[in-house]
Amino acid sequence: MKRRTKKRSLATPDLTPLIDVVFLLLIFFMLVTTFDKYSAFKLELPNSGIESTEKQDKSFELIIDSNQNYFLKNGKISEKIYMDNLGEKLKNIDEISISADKNLKYEVIVKTIGKLKNDGIKKVELNFYE
């Protein structure tokens, strides 16, 4: 006589209770969590006031035209200068704004910024005009 072996069916667990628990956990974490978008970094906003208007009056602007002529503008006074005399004119200045012609080669602008940095200017702002 042959023995008959029963085919065993694979046991499949019921996932319904597991899904219920996952949804309950999801709802719990959504209710408990606080969303603070500024907690990851410290944000320091600049102060505005009378000091900023005083700095604008003392600001220097270096203008470079398409023929590579340099003009130093201090407030309303503008004078033509040469690249060699740039360090003498800007002895005690920390920041300057450069306004360059749009069609000027970048090589001239990079050399000018390098010269200003070597002369001790810490902050250089760059603007282009047509």
Side-chain angles (χ1 to χ4, degrees), residues 26-57:
L26 180 67
I27 292 170
F28 172 76
F29 286 124
M30 286 175 58
L31 292 175
V32 173
T33 304
T34 59
F35 296 102
D36 187 12
K37 61 182 175 182
Y38 296 114
S39 65
F41 58 91
K42 187 175 181 180
L43 182 64
E44 295 181 19
L45 298 175
N47 295 330
S48 64
I50 299 172
E51 295 177 12
S52 63
T53 58
E54 290 177 3
K55 288 183 181 178
Q56 290 175 355
D57 294 339

Side-chain angles (χ1 to χ4, degrees), residues 6-122:
K6 290 184 180 179
K7 288 187 177 180
R8 290 189 182 191
S9 63
L10 296 175
T12 57
D14 187 20
L15 294 179
T16 307
L18 180 66
I19 293 171
D20 290 341
V21 171
V22 169
F23 279 127
L24 286 173
L25 285 174
L26 180 67
I27 292 170
F28 172 76
F29 286 124
M30 286 175 58
L31 292 175
V32 173
T33 304
T34 59
F35 296 102
D36 187 12
K37 61 182 175 182
Y38 296 114
S39 65
F41 58 91
K42 187 175 181 180
L43 182 64
E44 295 181 19
L45 298 175
N47 295 330
S48 64
I50 299 172
E51 295 177 12
S52 63
T53 58
E54 290 177 3
K55 288 183 181 178
Q56 290 175 355
D57 294 339
K58 296 179 182 178
S59 65
F60 283 86
E61 182 179 8
L62 182 65
I63 302 169
I64 309 171
D65 64 1
S66 60
N67 297 327
Q68 297 182 14
N69 295 322
Y70 292 85
F71 299 94
L72 184 63
K73 185 176 178 183
N74 182 6
K76 295 180 180 179
I77 302 169
S78 179
E79 64 177 306
K80 184 175 181 176
I81 61 169
Y82 297 99
M83 191 65 170
D84 300 332
N85 300 337
L86 192 59
E88 298 171 7
K89 297 281 185 181
L90 305 173
K91 286 182 183 176
N92 298 323
I93 299 173
D94 292 338
E95 61 184 70
I96 192 167
S97 174
I98 298 176
S99 295
D101 188 70
K102 187 177 181 180
N103 299 321
L104 193 65
K105 292 183 180 180
Y106 289 121
E107 178 183 359
V108 176
I109 297 170
V110 170
K111 284 183 181 179
T112 305
I113 292 173
K115 174 85 170 124
L116 292 172
K117 289 289 186 176
N118 288 338
D119 290 338
I121 295 179
K122 297 175 184 174

